[in-house]
């Protein structure tokens, strides 16, 4: 049954937890032609119900999402566009409202320069917070991600990030390793990024193989060589475990060659 949008009630739009789902939600929010203060976007399933609110589920529509994406890309500064995509990678259910509020501010007459300068707005502050968190983890993974060469020459890596950063990492490494066959597996979300040599990368979903991967002889040799190098340059008397954990969080180490068990 179609909801009765009372003039006094706030509107809660429940969007699919994906960039396409949230951008569709932004499109539908504008289509309502109501004051933006009365509309709230939420990513994922409904949580704590709000009083005096009408709830509506938004069906993801790629055409509507693409229209919003094009508008944001053409009318926003590059740093704002990047911040929005980083915020969309966050696991927070508040990201949909933060992105919506940031877009509203960016398209308003009040905007001067980057939307990230307008931290007096609560949604923009949240957008900045989520963006910084995802951006910091992305920066870490660009340096901490380790590929292993399989016996068939495939470069393989496993990660478990807090944020959904697989597309950004795939694009980053495809630009740097264009002629390599590689895959990156996000074991938390069970998503693969697959890059065939000389072609475009793509995403797929599935379980990681249970069998023990067979590394190439060269990989085994260089793994041991790298471990010995890391051990030889360390100075026991100058160890600072607190600083090490700050520079290299513990959650990254199980996926790094130099910390892996032999």
């Amino acid at each position: 049954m179609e909801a009765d949008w009372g003039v006094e009630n706030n509107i809660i739009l429940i969007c699919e937890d994906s960039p396409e789902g949230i951008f569709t939600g932004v499109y539908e929010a504008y289509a309502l032609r109501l004051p933006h203060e009365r509309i709230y976007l939420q990513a994922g399933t409904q949580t704590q119900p709000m009083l005096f609110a009408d709830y509506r589920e938004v069906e993801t529509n790629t055409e509507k999402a693409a229209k919003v994406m094009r508008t944001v890309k053409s009318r926003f500064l590059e740093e704002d566009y990047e911040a929005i995509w980083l915020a969309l990678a966050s696991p927070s259910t508040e990201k949909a409202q933060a992105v919506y509020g940031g877009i509203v501010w960016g398209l308003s007459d009040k905007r001067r320069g980057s939307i990230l300068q307008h931290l007096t707005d609560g949604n923009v502050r949240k957008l900045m917070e989520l963006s910084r968190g995802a951006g910091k983890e992305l920066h870490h993974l660009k340096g901490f991600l380790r590929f292993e060469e399989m016996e068939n020459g495939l470069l393989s890596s496993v990660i478990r990030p807090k944020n959904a950063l697989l597309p950004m990492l795939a694009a980053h490494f495809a630009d740097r390793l264009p002629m390599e066959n590689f895959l990156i597996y996000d074991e938390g979300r069970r998503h693969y990024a697959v890059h065939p040599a000389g072609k475009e990368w793509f995403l797929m979903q599935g379980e990681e193989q249970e069998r023990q991967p067979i590394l190439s002889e060269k990989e085994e040799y260089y793994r041991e060589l790298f471990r010995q190098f890391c051990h030889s340059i360390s100075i026991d008397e100058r160890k600072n475990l607190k600083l090490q954990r700050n520079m290299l969080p513990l959650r990254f180490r199980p996926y790094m060659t130099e910390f892996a068990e032999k």
Side-chain angles (χ1 to χ4, degrees), residues 63-218:
E63 291 184 8
K64 293 177 180 179
K67 289 180 181 179
V68 176
M69 291 181 201
R70 287 195 296 269
T71 299
V72 172
K73 189 168 186 179
S74 64
R75 297 185 59 180
F76 283 56
L77 298 179
E78 185 175 347
E79 61 188 282
D80 297 337
Y81 182 71
E82 181 179 346
I84 287 172
W85 277 99
L86 284 170
L88 288 168
S90 169
S92 172
T93 57
E94 298 180 76
K95 64 186 175 185
Q97 177 62 18
V99 168
Y100 170 49
I103 291 174
V104 168
W105 185 273
L107 296 178
S108 73
D109 295 333
K110 304 178 196 176
R111 173 188 158 190
R112 297 292 183 274
S114 170
I115 63 171
L116 302 178
Q117 297 173 355
H118 302 283
L119 298 181
T120 54
D121 182 86
N123 289 318
V124 174
R125 283 199 307 275
K126 191 65 180 180
L127 177 68
M128 169 73 87
E129 175 190 327
L130 298 177
S131 171
R132 280 183 171 175
K136 183 177 181 180
E137 185 173 46
L138 178 63
H139 176 72
H140 278 147
L141 282 170
K142 286 178 179 178
F144 297 154
L145 184 145
R146 299 288 186 260
F147 284 108
E148 297 177 331
E149 186 182 67
M150 303 294 106
E151 62 176 354
N152 60 1
L154 173 71
L155 301 181
S156 176
S157 179
V158 180
I159 58 174
R160 195 184 184 92
K162 294 179 180 178
N163 300 275
L165 300 171
L166 192 56
M168 300 178 197
L169 284 170
H172 172 80
F173 286 105
D175 183 56
R176 283 151 181 76
L177 304 170
M179 301 311 296
E180 297 287 349
N181 292 310
F182 72 77
L183 68 82
I184 305 172
Y185 179 61
D186 182 341
E187 67 174 4
R189 296 171 180 81
R190 299 176 182 174
H191 287 168
Y192 287 92
V194 182
H195 178 265
K199 299 180 181 178
E200 293 293 322
W201 61 271
F202 59 90
L203 295 176
M204 58 183 292
Q205 189 169 11
E207 297 283 351
E208 187 179 21
Q209 297 297 320
E210 292 292 333
R211 69 180 181 82
Q212 189 70 19
I214 302 177
L215 304 178
S216 68
E217 290 186 11
K218 187 167 62 174

Side-chain angles (χ1 to χ4, degrees), residues 1-6 11 13 28 32 54-57:
M1 180 177 178
E2 193 70 25
D4 178 16
W5 307 119
I11 311 299
L13 299 180
E28 296 294 354
L32 289 173
D54 291 318
Y55 285 83
R56 178 181 179 186
E57 294 214 7

